[in-house]
Structures are given as C-alpha cells and as structure tokens.
Amino acid sequence: MKILVPVKRVVDYNVKVRIKPDGSGVDIANVKMSMNPFDEIAVEEAIRLREKGIATEVVAVSCGIAACQETLRNALALGADRAILVETDAELQPLAVAKLLKALVDKEAPRLVILGKQAIDDDANQTGQMLAGLLGWAQATSASKVEIAAADAAEMTVKREIDGGLETMQVKLPAIITTDLRLNEPRYATLPNIMKAKKKPLDTVKPDALGVDVTPRLATLKVAEPAKRRGGGKVADVQELVAKLRNEAKVI
Amino acid sequence: MTILVIAEHDHTAIKGGTLNAIAAAQKIGGDIHVLVAGHNAAPAAQAAAQIAGVAKVLHADAPHLAGHTAENLAALVVSVAGGYDCIMAAATGFGKNVSPRIAALLDVAQVSEIVEVVAPDTFVRPIYAGNGLATVQAKDAKKVITVRATGFDAVAATGGSAAVESVAATPDTGLSNVTGQELSKSDRPELTAARIVVSGGRGVGNAENFHKLLEPLAAKLNAALGASRAAVDAGFVPNDYQVGQTGKIVAPDLYIAVGISGAIQHLAGMKDSKVIVAINKDADAPIFQIADYGLVADLFEAVPALIAELG
Ligand SMILES: Cc1cc2nc3c(=O)[nH]c(=O)nc-3n(C[C@H](O)[C@H](O)[C@H](O)COP(=O)(O)OP(=O)(O)OC[C@H]3O[C@@H](n4cnc5c(N)ncnc54)[C@H](O)[C@@H]3O)c2cc1C
C-alpha cells in the first residue's frame, strides 16, 4: 500500500518565540525552522511499515511556501520515496490544508495517511481528523502503537493515548493515523541519505490546480504575549517552604 | 443563538471538562443544549439535565455509540447541527478527537482550545505552547469550538432541570471499533480537577522512586500526580500523567514540580497554576524562573523531609 505523510515546516521546538511588538503575530524572521516533531514520528512510522513490507511507497507532502522544500528534503533523507509540495504564499489554516490533502489523496490513492497529532506552532490538533471527515475514512488519533498484519489488510489495530490511559481500536482501511510522542523514536538522517535525498523526485503543484479554495476562515486580530509570571522566589529549606505555603500562599 | 455542547461522559456521569465548556457557552450567550450520545447512558442524560444553565438535553442511544468513536459521533452531531449556531466540546482527548471531524463535515473552521470569549465570534486561544495568545474571529456562520477547561470556571453540576429529548442515532458507519481500554487506576484525584498537583520528572530516576517518594507526598496533600514527558517516556508512570503542551493542561492552586527542568513544553501545561513550587538540585534550572517557591535541593532528601514537615 502507498502511504501519504504530510509534514509541516515550523519554528524549531527549542526556540522560544517572540511576539512582534505591533501584535501582528509571532516573529519568525531568522528563526531556526524544522519539521514538526510529530511529523518526524509520522515519517518514521511510514518508513518502518515499508521496511516491514507492508507499505510499497512513502510519499511526503507539505503545503506552504517554497522553503517547505527543505522540510520535504528532510523527509526524503529520512527515507520517504518522493515528495510533493503544494506551493502557496497564502496563509493556510487546518481546513484548507485538509482540503489540499484530500485532493492529493484523490489523485495518489494511498490507503493510509499518517500525520502528526498537532503542529507545535498553532497547536490546533485538527488536520488529521478533518481529512478523515472529508474522505469519509476512519481515524485513529494520538496513536502509540500501530499493527497492520499484511500489505492488503482490510483493517489495522491501533493503540491510542486517551485521557484515562490507553484505548485499542480496530480500524478499517483506508484510514488516517495521527501520531503521539510514544509511537516511535525517529531515526536521524545519515549523510549518505541526505545526499541521496537531493536526487529523489520532488513535484510542485498549486492549490488552484487542485481546485481548492484556501481562503482563511479565521481572522487573527492580534497576538499578545501572555502575562509574565513573577517567579524566582527561593526558600532555604523545607521548613521555610511549608511555613510559606501555609501562612503566605495559604494553599495547604 | 443556540449552542450545542457535546457531553463527555462514562454513561453514568458527566466528565468535569463539559462543565467548563458549558461555562464558555454561557459567555457566548444563548440557549444551551447538551448532547449525550452513548448506549444505556440514561443516567448520564439525567445528570446532564441537572447541570445549571442547560435548556435541553438531546439523548441518542445505540450500541454503536457506546465507544464514542469519532466517526459515529460526528455523523450524529452533523445530523442535528442544522438547528445550532455553535457546536462546542471540552478540549480533552475526547473533544479533540471528534470536533475537527464535525467541523470538516460542516465545511467550517474549528477554533481550538479557547481560553476567553471576547465576543460571540471572537475568541482568545494560546499558540506556540502558550507563548502567544491569539485573538481570532471566526467568519463561518456556524462555529465549532473546543474549550480549554482552565480558562473557564465550571458551572454547577446541579440546580438545573432541563427536559431530556430523544434523538435518533445515525446509522453505524462501521469504520472503527473500540476493542479494549487500559485505564490507569489511582486513588488520587483526577489530574485536571485537583486543587494540588505533585509532578515528577526525569530527576526522580525510576518508577520505584516515583512510587516511594511522590505518592506519599501526594497522599499527604490529597494531590493528583502528574509527570513530565521525560518521566512518561522513561516508563516511570503511564502516559495519562503527562502535563504539557501535548499532554494535559492543569491550573491547580498549588503545583509542585519535583526533578523537572522546566522545558517550555512542560511549562505550557502548568504555568497558569496559582502557586508553583519547584524542587531541583540545579539552581539554574529554568523551572525556578516561574516558581514562587524554589528549593534548590536533592529531591531524595527534600521530599522525605517535606513529607515529615507536613506532619
Ligand atoms: C513535540 C514535543 C512535545 C513535548 N511535549 C511535552 C509535554 O507535553 N510535557 C513535557 O513535560 N514535556 C514535553 N516535551 C519534552 C520537553 O521538551 C522536555 O524534554 C521534558 O519536559 C523534560 O522533562 P524533565 O524536566 O523531567 O527532564 P530533564 O529536562 O532531564 O530535567 C530533569 C531535572 O531533574 C533535576 N534533577 C535530577 N536529579 C535530581 C535530584 N536528585 N534532585 C533534584 N533534582 C534533580 C535536574 O537538575 C533537571 O533539571 C515535548 C517535546 C517535544 C519535542
């Protein structure tokens, strides 16, 4: 089976972002950009399924500006077979991305799409579920274990992280999976694989060619910095700590 | 304005987050209806009818609604969505799973994890692990919204007397089935509802230490237990203990971080706590920058001493 893996270019998780002083958004000029960590886990899972003989081809997809090619090259270096960039300078919100991905699914006919459960920039946690809804497919979100018995399997078993613990589901294929942190530990791209990735096919399409209207449905009116906490207080020992919690903070 | 809040329940009782979602619905204003979908969930529907501020309860009952799968639940919600201007759920694992599917089927955007209602179409939501607060205006006529519980004080679980109306279940989509659950059992209060949370990180070392040191401390304070991602990944505690950007969001009166460095992803889940205590042997650990009471100490000495001092 073919697997589609959407990957998003986001501010690296180690960067503490700055809000622009005019409140228009987050300052991402000259900031290190990386593949969304949950998407690395998605790429890894797809590659493992190919290595097990379940998947035949892993296609990485990204939606956004030309620089998303770097993110796709990274996916190719990790082991994806080819890549597609849906290129646009427009602001893309989750519903628009889900529609672009649906158009690609209609063309590429994968039986599995593996996405990250959330992107660490907008923290929306929507795209996978939206894509599943648009396709009328099953969805297995926050997956921590995926078992597919054979390449032509009609269903798979997925363990999902839920608020009370873990849940096991039987899920009909084709389906959507979104990854949680403990699904796997992504490999690092080796230098030879980074070199090889430069020669792998990377196609570009425009949203128009896919017939998708990406007009945003949410208007961001402003972005503000959260109230700063006045931390930094120290206590000398547990006696002082307990006294302060009792008499000053009055929380115990 | 008529608002539908999708209840999260265990077929008997309504989960806490739903009460916060209803509080957010009240801030938007209008008639509030609550949907209870399940199988043999009449007690939960009755409980929903008692919630303060609820005008009507919709109750759908069918075997294929028992597992709360997103596919069947979304189909049901879409079948009743015509009568509503706004569809809301708590931003819990349950709400995050089903709501975006509903939004896509209705061809509208979802506003995720709102923490404030500015106007009926304008909301504040955290982005970048809470390092930014975005004010967003939803332009679709129908709105789909998930609610971060810590942003809204829960409405009272009793005091209401709404009518319960049966609605027809939509057919089984047959797409997925819940076949098992491994729920972690604990005598401790629920993490997102507790007044005090004791959280452990990598510094705690192993599962046995977590058990031996942090459980007695939590018991003494009647606190819930939480953890950093590192502690969960290392297998000290189950996944549902994780606090943070991609775990649970908590804002208790008192949060005690033990052997946690204070990565931004962890802070995202607890920095709105009223009082923060950090116990860490590294005086430069970032957690101290947001702690009200920092104790630079070896946790293996400090925690037993703290338990003793609490008497
Ligand atoms: C996509 C993504 C999502 C993430 N989501 C989350 C999330 O939701 N929640 C989360 O917590 N993390 C999350 N993380 C991970 C986060 O970046 C940190 O790696 C993690 O929080 C570190 O956990 P820790 O503080 O327990 O471990 P460490 O950073 O290793 O800190 C351990 C601390 O223990 C102290 N210590 C050690 N021994 C002792 C002792 N004897 N006495 C006292 N102190 C001691 C050390 O000084 C140190 O400060 C995420 C990361 C990514 C990339």
Side-chain angles (χ1 to χ4, degrees):
Chain A
M1 69 173 78
K2 191 193 281 187
I3 303 180
L4 208 66
V5 186
V7 294
K8 185 175 184 182
R9 178 176 180 267
V10 299
V11 172
D12 186 83
Y13 82 98
N14 274 313
V15 173
K16 174 136 175 23
V17 294
R18 279 184 346 111
I19 309 300
K20 288 186 195 160
D22 66 358
S24 63
V26 169
D27 192 356
I28 58 167
N30 306 316
V31 163
K32 182 179 178 208
M33 305 297 285
S34 300
M35 187 188 298
N36 179 42
F38 287 97
D39 305 348
E40 286 181 0
I41 297 172
V43 172
E44 176 68 32
E45 196 65 16
I47 294 166
R48 288 187 191 184
L49 286 168
R50 194 193 56 211
E51 287 167 350
K52 280 187 209 152
I54 305 289
T56 46
E57 189 182 27
V58 175
V59 183
V61 180
S62 195
C63 303
I65 59 173
C68 296
Q69 286 188 26
E70 290 163 27
T71 315
L72 288 170
R73 289 288 170 209
N74 184 5
L76 294 169
L78 291 170
D81 298 293
R82 62 188 171 89
I84 304 171
L85 171 63
V86 183
E87 192 183 338
T88 172
D89 292 338
E91 179 194 349
L92 291 178
Q93 295 180 348
L95 182 62
V97 174
K99 288 180 177 180
L100 293 170
L101 295 174
K102 165 155 194 312
L104 285 179
V105 167
D106 290 344
K107 272 174 71 165
E108 293 281 338
R111 292 191 69 220
L112 198 57
V113 183
I114 311 181
L115 311 86
K117 78 164 180 181
Q118 82 192 62
I120 59 167
D121 50 3
D122 61 18
D123 283 332
N125 194 330
Q126 298 178 5
T127 307
Q129 298 89 309
M130 286 184 155
L131 177 59
L134 295 176
L135 289 164
W137 287 9
Q139 65 183 63
T141 55
S142 302
S144 65
K145 191 171 186 194
V146 173
E147 285 172 306
I148 305 177
D152 59 353
E155 52 180 40
M156 61 179 173
T157 307
V158 177
K159 229 176 226 178
R160 316 175 42 226
E161 295 201 356
I162 60 171
D163 288 344
L166 293 167
E167 180 171 274
T168 308
M169 296 187 81
Q170 280 302 117
V171 181
K172 280 240 168 80
L173 291 162
I176 302 293
I177 293 172
T178 74
T179 61
D180 217 317
L181 293 168
R182 283 161 282 274
L183 180 58
N184 61 49
E185 255 187 67
R187 68 195 68 189
Y188 292 98
T190 60
L191 195 58
N193 285 343
I194 292 171
M195 299 314 289
K196 258 195 253 164
K198 292 187 175 152
K199 298 201 185 76
K200 289 184 182 176
L202 192 161
D203 294 329
T204 299
V205 286
K206 296 270 155 101
D208 280 352
L210 295 172
V212 176
D213 174 7
V214 297
T215 311
R217 307 290 190 85
L218 301 177
T220 300
L221 305 182
K222 68 167 186 203
V223 177
E225 205 155 325
K228 278 245 157 38
R229 255 197 105 89
R230 276 213 352 256
K234 289 270 167 61
V235 290
D237 50 34
V238 293
Q239 285 75 20
E240 187 187 349
L241 174 60
V242 171
K244 289 235 160 109
L245 290 177
R246 283 205 176 117
N247 307 322
E248 191 176 84
K250 299 190 166 61
V251 285
I252 58 169
Chain B
M1 178 92 75
T2 315
I3 300 173
L4 183 67
V5 176
I6 306 168
E8 179 173 1
H9 63 89
D10 60 5
H11 290 82
T12 310
I14 303 293
K15 296 263 169 85
T18 302
L19 303 178
N20 305 85
I22 293 171
Q26 285 184 334
K27 290 261 160 77
I28 294 173
D31 273 353
I32 298 169
H33 298 180
V34 171
L35 173 70
V36 176
H39 187 43
N40 300 327
Q46 287 308 327
Q50 311 288 306
I51 298 171
V54 174
K56 186 163 55 174
V57 173
L58 305 186
H59 179 204
D61 187 286
H64 64 267
L65 294 174
H68 304 298
T69 62
E71 298 86 346
N72 286 336
L73 193 51
L76 173 68
V77 173
V78 168
S79 78
V80 299
Y84 295 97
D85 305 294
C86 186
I87 295 167
M88 302 176 73
T92 54
F94 166 85
K96 289 175 181 175
N97 186 37
V98 69
S99 292
R101 189 174 180 107
I102 296 166
L105 292 172
L106 296 172
D107 191 23
V108 303
Q110 170 175 300
V111 189
S112 290
E113 298 215 30
I114 63 164
V115 293
E116 190 186 326
V117 175
V118 177
D121 65 350
T122 307
F123 313 94
V124 177
R125 60 175 306 268
I127 55 173
Y128 285 92
N131 287 305
L133 290 171
T135 304
V136 297
Q137 184 176 32
K139 295 194 220 157
D140 295 303
K142 221 183 264 299
K143 293 169 182 51
V144 174
I145 296 168
T146 64
V147 177
R148 182 175 285 193
T150 54
F152 302 88
D153 289 332
V155 297
T158 56
S161 58
V164 179
E165 189 178 289
S166 282
V167 294
T170 39
D172 187 359
T173 58
L175 291 172
S176 71
N177 246 327
V178 175
T179 54
Q181 284 190 333
E182 297 157 49
L183 302 181
S184 20
K185 291 199 183 61
S186 165
D187 302 334
R188 307 260 45 86
E190 211 261 307
L191 183 53
T192 53
R195 213 179 59 76
I196 303 179
V197 173
V198 172
S199 260
R202 199 197 311 266
V204 175
N206 56 44
E208 197 192 333
N209 291 342
F210 209 99
H211 183 68
K212 274 199 330 220
L213 286 168
L214 298 196
E215 271 177 22
L217 177 59
K220 194 119 253 173
L221 294 165
N222 192 28
L225 280 169
S228 70
R229 173 191 174 181
V232 175
D233 284 2
F236 303 176
V237 286
N239 61 280
D240 51 293
Y241 282 50
Q242 183 177 315
V243 170
Q245 179 185 18
T246 59
K248 288 188 177 139
I249 309 291
V250 301
D253 289 348
L254 174 60
Y255 188 92
I256 305 181
V258 182
I260 292 179
S261 63
I264 43 178
Q265 292 85 7
H266 187 79
L267 303 188
M270 45 66 77
K271 70 181 161 61
D272 291 329
S273 305
K274 280 208 190 84
V275 176
I276 297 174
V277 169
I279 301 175
N280 196 306
K281 67 177 181 190
D282 173 10
D284 295 327
I287 189 81
F288 286 125
Q289 291 164 20
I290 64 145
D292 301 281
Y293 302 112
L295 178 60
V296 182
D298 187 324
L299 69 92
F300 295 102
E301 286 157 25
V303 173
L306 179 56
I307 295 168
E309 183 68 17
L310 286 165

